[in-house]
Coordinates of all heavy atoms in Angstrom, one line a residue:
C28 N 108.8 -69.8 0.7 CA 108.8 -69.8 -0.7 C 108.5 -68.4 -1.2 O 108.2 -67.5 -0.4 CB 107.7 -70.8 -1.2 SG 106.0 -70.6 -0.6
Y35 N 108.4 -68.6 -16.0 CA 109.1 -69.1 -17.1 C 110.5 -69.6 -16.6 O 111.0 -69.3 -15.5 CB 109.3 -68.0 -18.1 CG 109.9 -66.7 -17.6 CD1 111.3 -66.6 -17.5 CD2 109.1 -65.7 -17.2 CE1 111.9 -65.4 -17.0 CE2 109.7 -64.5 -16.7 CZ 111.1 -64.4 -16.6 OH 111.6 -63.2 -16.2
C45 N 109.6 -71.6 -5.9 CA 108.6 -70.6 -6.4 C 107.3 -71.3 -6.7 O 107.2 -72.5 -7.1 CB 109.2 -70.1 -7.7 SG 110.7 -69.1 -7.5
P48 N 101.0 -67.5 -7.6 CA 100.2 -66.7 -6.7 C 98.7 -66.7 -6.9 O 98.2 -67.1 -8.0 CB 100.7 -65.3 -6.9 CG 101.1 -65.2 -8.3 CD 101.6 -66.6 -8.7
Q60 N 90.8 -65.4 3.3 CA 91.0 -64.2 4.2 C 89.9 -64.2 5.3 O 90.2 -63.8 6.5 CB 91.0 -62.9 3.4 CG 92.2 -62.7 2.6 CD 92.2 -61.4 1.9 OE1 91.1 -60.8 1.6 NE2 93.3 -60.9 1.5
C70 N 97.3 -58.9 15.2 CA 97.7 -59.1 13.8 C 97.4 -57.8 13.0 O 96.4 -57.1 13.3 CB 96.8 -60.2 13.1 SG 97.3 -61.8 13.7
L173 N 104.1 -90.7 16.6 CA 105.4 -90.0 16.9 C 106.4 -90.8 17.7 O 106.0 -91.5 18.7 CB 105.1 -88.7 17.7 CG 104.1 -87.7 17.1 CD1 104.1 -86.4 18.0 CD2 104.5 -87.3 15.7
I225 N 89.7 -88.3 35.3 CA 91.1 -88.8 35.3 C 91.3 -89.6 36.6 O 90.9 -89.2 37.7 CB 92.1 -87.6 35.4 CG1 92.0 -86.8 34.1 CG2 93.5 -88.1 35.5 CD1 92.9 -85.5 34.1
V260 N 98.6 -83.9 40.6 CA 99.9 -83.8 41.3 C 99.7 -84.3 42.7 O 100.6 -85.1 43.2 CB 100.4 -82.3 41.3 CG1 101.6 -82.2 42.2 CG2 100.8 -81.9 39.9
E276 N 111.6 -78.7 38.6 CA 112.3 -77.9 37.6 C 111.3 -77.5 36.6 O 110.5 -78.4 36.0 CB 113.4 -78.7 37.0 CG 114.5 -79.1 38.0 CD 115.8 -79.6 37.4 OE1 116.1 -79.1 36.3 OE2 116.5 -80.4 38.1
M327 N 107.2 -85.5 36.4 CA 105.8 -85.8 35.9 C 105.5 -84.8 34.7 O 105.5 -83.6 34.9 CB 104.8 -85.7 37.0 CG 103.4 -86.3 36.5 SD 102.2 -86.2 37.8 CE 101.8 -84.4 37.7
F354 N 92.8 -90.7 13.3 CA 91.7 -89.7 13.2 C 90.8 -90.1 12.1 O 91.1 -89.8 10.9 CB 92.3 -88.3 13.1 CG 93.1 -87.8 14.2 CD1 94.4 -88.2 14.4 CD2 92.6 -86.9 15.2 CE1 95.2 -87.8 15.5 CE2 93.3 -86.5 16.2 CZ 94.6 -86.9 16.4
L367 N 102.4 -98.2 22.7 CA 102.8 -99.4 21.9 C 103.9 -100.2 22.5 O 104.1 -101.4 22.2 CB 103.2 -98.9 20.5 CG 102.1 -98.4 19.6 CD1 102.7 -97.8 18.4 CD2 101.0 -99.4 19.3
N378 N 108.8 -100.0 8.7 CA 109.8 -100.4 7.8 C 109.9 -99.4 6.6 O 109.0 -99.4 5.7 CB 109.5 -101.8 7.2 CG 110.6 -102.3 6.3 OD1 111.6 -101.6 6.1 ND2 110.4 -103.5 5.7
T380 N 112.1 -99.3 4.2 CA 112.7 -99.9 3.1 C 111.7 -99.9 1.9 O 110.6 -100.3 2.0 CB 113.2 -101.3 3.3 OG1 114.1 -101.3 4.5 CG2 114.0 -101.9 2.1
G382 N 109.6 -100.9 -1.0 CA 109.1 -102.2 -1.5 C 109.0 -102.2 -3.0 O 109.3 -101.2 -3.7

Side-chain angles (χ1 to χ4, degrees):
C28 55
Y35 56 84
C45 294
Q60 286 180 339
C70 289
L173 300 186
I225 298 177
V260 170
E276 300 196 28
M327 192 179 76
F354 295 80
L367 290 171
N378 182 5
T380 304

